[in-house]
Structures are given as structure tokens and as C-alpha cells.
Amino acid sequence: MSKLTFERIASQQRRGPRRSSLGSGWKLALFFVPAVLVYGFLVIYPTLRAFQYSITNWNGYSSNYNYIGFTNFRLLFTEDGLFTNALNNSVKLMVAVVIVETIVAFGLAVLLSNNIRSSRVVRSVIFFPAILSAVSVAFAFTFVYAPDGGLLNTFFHDIGLTSVHLDPLGSNRYAIYWVAGVQAWQYVGEMVLLFVAGLQQIPLELYEAASIDGASRLRQLRHVTRPLIMPTVVLVATFTMIQAFQAFQLVYGLSGNPPASNVDILSTRILTTFADSKLGYAAAESIVFMLIIGTIAILQRRLLRATRGAS
Amino acid sequence: MKPESSHLKKKHISPYSTVRWVILVITLLIIMVPLIFVIGGSFKTSANLYQHPFGLSFHPTFSNYRAVIHDGGMLRALFNSIIVSVITTIAVVVIASLASFGVTFLSGWRGILPYGFLVIGLAIPAQASIIPQFVLFRELHLLNSLLGLIVINTALLAPIAVFILTSFFRKFPVGVLEASVLDGCSTMNVFRRVVLPLSRAPLSAVVILVFLGSWNDLLYPLLFIQSPVNRTLPLALIDLQGQYVTNYPVLFAGVVIASIPMLILYVVLQRQFVAGIMAGSSTG
């Protein structure tokens, strides 16, 4: 059920016949009242309050606080090294995960897009980590990454590389990329499924025509698959970005609470600030966070439209 | 392991299929080895795991499981997680299927407007609203309670359910429904007796997605829950880490307890899982 079909159906509906004969309007309106109330009161209203809190210096519990304009936002970007550090790490994590996950998932999907049994079995095995909690996955990888006796180092020693001694999550500036590796490990199978769904929508006749014309498998990949898979690439890339941006569970599981500064990301920073009784300031951080996610979502819509037009 | 086509048709193994298998086997190893170590390690002592990480344990110990159950409160957390996830799932299915029915079959802006309102939430990340939600729940005295988690999970997971169900309902032949109305069926009965029974596939996708979402959530338990008796599994796991630091076998036993229910569900309902996750991820 891709966005494509959904939007097409939606636009057909708008042009289609009126459907009020299913009972009077107010009766149908009663159906959505519970959801609208629950959701409006518990999600939309708090989100709006976040904007209000973000321009205060409220600590979260005292009865009085002041409106301080955009001071919080100014401090975030000018004087808060912790915030810019977290923002930096978030971007690094996001970029690394998007690149690795999209490329690896696409490559695997090409190998697994047919429906023979081996493909189906491999797909369902590599998808499995996606349903685990990120905390569980993080615990497994604290052992994989452990500097002494960890799986990764033991593996290198056993194959003869005794000089290798990695401390992936130690205090070095590459730690965030090792976190990215775990994120990619967990969700690559999910992205393979998205790609496989995209690949299976490409008409087989196109490949047949190409191979009659003498195009090799690689040329087919370049000239048939590549243009037609672009909408899925956009979907996977943006979904991966948002997922990585929100990967606070993984960071907590790998690095503890509060996490070490070299793996601190925006979503963990918000919670740490909040725990430090700086509620107004944390709200400002969460507004920035929301704007970034919103930007990615808008970008996705634009790109989807562009790639759909091209193909 | 041989490519299937080769032993079926006895044809030559092409270089493509050799490369394919090498890549797939490496991928499977990368995915499965950490999982196998977690399961195996949960039955080892800490010393044994460090000295022989690759060795098979012929003397399995259950002391790690005893530790997480007695000191880590994992059984209590398991019970809490089941309560929260099951009730959340039921609540979401009820309010979201009602809402989706309403917005799909209301004509014009009267349907579009509430639909837009309900799905705009898909663009709001939880971290953006959680701080005011904390304040709100404190005022409502719903912090530190399973009910609070159920309420917030229901509100947060309703939009995705509305999105999935509405896009399915929109494909419904309206004629059938109108005919039922003409036959004297009430609107509620059209919903209950005609629409719902025909919506098994999207409903099971919603059930899986919502159950998984509330089962694995750490964000809200972390902020809302203080007392150990109200912890859900991910929170209990995080607390284990504080308690046992690098005692991996104990952590692994916790991971196994937290994951076993999902593993069983996945094996039994694999197709629905895949459909549910796919429906969830295509919202963007």
C-alpha cells in the first residue's frame, strides 16, 4: 500500500460521487469523535504547548516562570556546546545510516527480489531484528563491541589479526559511526523488504525486452531498475533518516543514561536537558528537533513527486 | 548450501549464483551471530563467556535467569508489558476503526478535515510533544501508572492506524454499503457486520504495528514511570544495565525474556508482521 496508490485513490474519491447516503452526516461524525478528542487533547494540544514552553525559563515544577522570548533558541545555537555537539552527532549518524543502509539494502534486495524459497527465507531472517526492542539490540552489541573479550576483537584475534584492538564505543570520534552500524544492522532487513516490494512492481516485460536487446544484467540494472526504483529509494532514505534521528533507545542501550558526549544525539539531549530541570530549554530543543523531522518529510514529498514524474 | 535451481534442474552453477550465495551467507552470519551469542551467552557464566565466547556451553546455567527474575523484576515487567500492549492494541483498534469509517464515508471537507487532523500526527515525533505531555499527565495524576502508558500509547498510535485503515476503506465498493443501508441496516451495523469482517488484513497489520510499537517503547516508560512495580520490559532492561554494568550473561537473559514473546509471534504470524511493518513504513 504505497503512498502512490493511496494518493491516487484519494484523488479519485474526491472526484467520485458523494457518499452521504450512508446515513446522515452527524451520525458518521460521531464515529470519529473519540479519536479526535483523545488525539487532540493528548498529542496536538501538548505539541502546541511545546511552542509556548520553549519561550519560557520554566524549570518544570515551580509555580512561576517568565517569558523570555527567543532566548532559548539563541542560546542553543550560540553558546550551547552540548547541543551543537548532539546536533553534529545526529547528522553524522543520520548520514552514515542512510548511506550504508540504503546501499546494502538495495544490493541485497536485488539478490532477493525473486520469490524462490531461499530468497523468502533469507528475507525473513534478516528482517527479524527490526521487531526487537532497540535496547535488546544495544545490549547484544555492547558485547560485540566490548574492548576486552568482545566478539569483534575475539574474531580478529582468532583469524590471526592479533594486533587489532578495537574499542568502538570508547572515547574516540568514530564511536557514532559504530552506533550507525548497529542501527543499520537492526533495520537493513526492513529496508530490503521495502526495496523488494518496489522491485517487484517493475514489469518483467521491461527486463525481457532489455535482454532480447542484448543488455547484460548490469546494464539492465542501470537502465531499467535504476530509474524505476527511485521512488522507493526516496522512501527508504527518508524513512531511514527519521528512524536514525530518533534512535535514542539505541544510544541509551549502548552508552547508558546520560550517554557519553561522543554518541549523544539530539533525541537523547532533549531528555537529558529535561532531566536537568530545564523544561523550557528542553522544549526549545524539541521544537528544533520537530522542525528537522518536518523538513525531511517535506523533502521526501518533493523528491517523491520529482522521481515519479521522471519515471 | 547449494542454489535451489541447481539441484532442481541439475544445471551449472553460474558465477552469479555463486556470488549471490557468498553474499547471502555472509549477511546471514552478520545478522545471526550476535543473536546466537545472546541466546547462548544467557546460559553461561560471565567468566565462561569471556574465556570462550565462541565455545559451546555444555554446562548451561540458569543462574542468570534467576538473577533477572528475582533482582531484575523481569517477570513483573513482562506482565506489565503484556497488559499495556494488549489494552493499547484493543483501544487503538476500536477508536481508529470507528474514526476511519467516519472519515472515509463522510463526503467532502467533513471527511477530509478530521482525517487531515488525525494523520498530521504522523509528522510529529514523540520527542517533540513528550515534555508538555509529561506536564499534562502530572496534572491528570497519570504519571507512574500503567493506565497512563496505555492512554498515551493509544493517542500516539491511533494516527498510523487511521492512515492504514482509511486507505483500505477507501477502496470499498460504496454500492454494497449503500445497499445494506437501503435494506434497513443501521450505520453502526454496516460498520460492524459489513465493513469490519471484510477488513481482516488491514486490521491485523494495525494490531501487529500497534502491539509492537507499545511493546518496544522506552521513551514514555522512561519519563513517566518511577516505581519498579510499574516498569515495562524495555525500562526493566535499561535498569538491569545500571545494576549489572558489564555482566553480559545477565543482560542477555533479560534480552531473551523480553524478546521471546516477539520471536514466537513472529514465527507464527510472519506474513502479518511483514504486512504490518510495510504498511507502517510507507507512510513516510
Side-chain angles (χ1 to χ4, degrees):
Chain A
M1 241 171 277
S2 70
K3 211 161 207 154
L4 263 158
T5 48
F6 158 68
E7 275 172 5
R8 196 165 53 228
I9 289 158
S11 69
Q12 278 167 4
Q13 303 281 291
R14 263 175 247 130
R15 274 183 254 114
R18 304 223 140 199
R19 28 176 64 193
S20 48
S21 54
L22 255 187
S24 56
W26 67 268
K27 233 183 202 169
L28 277 170
L30 280 183
F31 280 80
F32 63 69
V33 166
V36 166
L37 283 182
V38 167
Y39 175 71
F41 183 55
L42 298 172
V43 179
I44 298 293
Y45 163 71
T47 306
L48 297 176
R49 285 302 288 268
F51 284 93
Q52 183 203 348
Y53 292 146
S54 73
I55 52 168
T56 70
N57 62 357
W58 195 25
N59 58 15
Y61 43 86
S62 75
S63 52
N64 54 338
Y65 51 85
N66 298 316
Y67 287 92
I68 52 170
F70 289 97
T71 313
N72 286 335
F73 293 95
R74 191 169 48 77
L75 290 177
L76 279 181
F77 288 102
T78 54
E79 280 167 43
D80 189 346
L82 291 172
F83 176 77
T84 27
N85 169 61
L87 189 61
N88 255 326
N89 284 334
S90 281
V91 173
K92 283 182 193 165
L93 177 72
M94 196 166 77
V95 171
V97 171
V98 167
I99 294 174
V100 173
E101 214 174 298
T102 311
I103 292 175
V104 173
F106 177 72
L108 288 172
V110 169
L111 301 180
L112 295 171
S113 65
N114 52 23
N115 271 333
I116 58 175
R117 196 170 69 187
S118 63
S119 292
R120 280 184 282 128
V121 170
V122 174
R123 281 191 325 235
S124 65
V125 171
I126 62 175
F127 171 75
F128 176 69
I131 68 170
L132 295 174
S133 87
V135 185
S136 301
V137 170
F139 284 5
F141 275 84
T142 49
F143 174 64
V144 174
Y145 286 169
D148 300 301
L151 208 52
L152 204 59
N153 282 316
T154 311
F155 171 74
F156 282 125
H157 289 205
D158 285 1
I159 61 170
L161 298 167
T162 43
S163 61
V164 174
H165 186 81
L166 296 167
D167 184 10
L169 299 173
S171 49
N172 60 69
R173 54 206 186 89
Y174 303 110
I176 193 72
Y177 298 109
W178 289 99
V179 175
V182 185
Q183 175 79 5
W185 179 88
Q186 184 174 11
Y187 293 110
V188 75
E190 184 179 353
M191 301 310 149
V192 166
L193 291 185
L194 285 175
F195 271 126
V196 167
L199 288 172
Q200 289 182 344
Q201 278 175 6
I202 300 174
L204 272 177
E205 298 87 68
L206 292 178
Y207 291 104
E208 282 159 13
S211 79
I212 289 168
D213 291 345
S216 68
R217 218 184 263 268
L218 270 180
R219 283 186 69 90
Q220 289 176 22
L221 204 60
R222 223 181 116 196
H223 296 289
V224 180
T225 311
R226 203 186 59 170
L228 291 173
I229 202 69
M230 278 322 276
T232 314
V233 173
V234 173
L235 197 75
V236 168
T238 47
F239 189 63
T240 313
M241 279 165 96
I242 292 175
Q243 228 175 20
F245 219 72
Q246 296 180 295
F248 92 99
Q249 293 204 17
L250 180 63
V251 173
Y252 270 176
L254 286 170
S255 185
N257 179 12
S261 68
N262 60 343
V263 292
D264 197 17
I265 58 174
L266 262 193
S267 48
T268 48
R269 183 102 293 269
I270 294 172
L271 297 178
T272 311
T273 314
F274 177 69
D276 288 346
S277 303
K278 292 194 279 185
L279 190 137
Y281 198 69
E285 287 176 330
S286 72
I287 297 291
V288 175
F289 184 85
M290 183 164 63
L291 292 179
I292 294 173
I293 301 254
T295 311
I296 298 173
I298 291 169
L299 219 68
Q300 179 206 32
R301 292 191 146 265
R302 293 246 155 135
L303 282 171
L304 266 182
R305 211 167 297 150
T307 50
R308 249 187 274 150
S311 63
Chain B
M1 271 191 257
K2 279 180 176 174
E4 216 175 52
S5 55
S6 78
H7 73 85
L8 281 179
K9 295 179 191 164
K10 303 274 180 213
K11 70 175 184 189
H12 272 304
I13 301 172
S14 68
Y16 169 76
S17 95
T18 314
V19 172
R20 173 174 180 269
W21 272 107
V22 170
I23 295 174
L24 291 186
V25 168
I26 292 173
T27 308
L28 283 177
L29 284 176
I30 293 174
I31 296 290
M32 287 174 73
V33 166
L35 297 175
I36 292 167
F37 271 87
V38 168
I39 298 170
S42 72
F43 294 103
K44 289 183 179 184
T45 62
S46 199
N48 191 342
L49 183 69
Y50 273 116
Q51 281 156 11
H52 317 282
F54 290 95
L56 289 170
S57 167
F58 293 106
H59 307 286
T61 166
F62 291 92
S63 60
N64 305 312
Y65 287 91
R66 273 196 293 276
V68 291
I69 287 168
H70 284 231
D71 308 332
M74 284 301 280
L75 279 191
R76 177 80 210 190
L78 179 68
F79 176 75
N80 289 343
S81 275
I82 292 173
I83 296 282
V84 169
S85 303
V86 168
I87 299 181
T88 300
T89 307
I90 295 170
V92 169
V93 165
V94 171
I95 70 165
S97 60
L98 284 171
S100 306
F101 181 75
V103 299
T104 309
F105 298 110
L106 263 177
S107 56
W109 60 269
R110 289 181 304 170
I112 308 266
L113 210 64
Y115 175 72
F117 180 74
L118 285 172
V119 297
I120 194 158
L122 294 174
I124 303 176
Q127 281 100 334
S129 53
I130 188 164
I131 290 162
Q133 277 160 349
F134 176 86
V135 177
L136 180 66
F137 274 60
R138 191 172 58 190
E139 286 162 6
L140 297 171
H141 299 288
L142 280 174
L143 287 186
N144 200 18
S145 79
L146 295 183
L147 179 64
L149 289 183
I150 292 167
V151 169
I152 194 69
N153 280 340
T154 304
L156 286 164
L157 292 163
I160 184 81
V162 168
F163 178 83
I164 293 171
L165 290 172
T166 306
S167 54
F168 180 81
F169 289 169
R170 284 187 164 147
K171 292 180 217 159
F172 252 88
V174 196
V176 176
L177 305 182
E178 285 175 347
S180 329
V181 174
L182 291 178
D183 289 347
C185 203
S186 73
T187 314
M188 192 60 189
N189 274 339
V190 174
F191 172 69
R192 273 176 46 209
R193 298 191 200 285
V194 185
V195 173
L196 282 192
L198 290 169
S199 309
R200 281 234 196 88
L203 281 175
S204 66
V206 165
V207 166
I208 301 250
L209 208 61
V210 171
F211 192 85
L212 206 60
S214 62
W215 185 269
N216 284 338
D217 181 48
L218 171 67
L219 184 61
Y220 285 88
L222 191 67
L223 256 75
F224 284 17
I225 301 294
Q226 282 101 41
S227 68
V229 287
N230 287 329
R231 287 184 311 195
T232 54
L233 283 169
L235 186 59
L237 277 182
I238 281 284
D239 287 352
L240 271 188
Q241 196 186 30
Q243 215 173 335
Y244 291 93
V245 202
T246 53
N247 189 339
Y248 296 111
V250 175
L251 299 183
F252 289 173
V255 168
V256 170
I257 291 180
S259 313
I260 283 286
M262 279 299 143
L263 176 64
I264 294 171
L265 285 180
Y266 181 59
V267 170
V268 178
L269 301 170
Q270 207 190 91
R271 254 172 19 149
Q272 287 85 341
F273 259 88
V274 171
I277 301 281
M278 298 287 282
S281 35
S282 54
T283 61

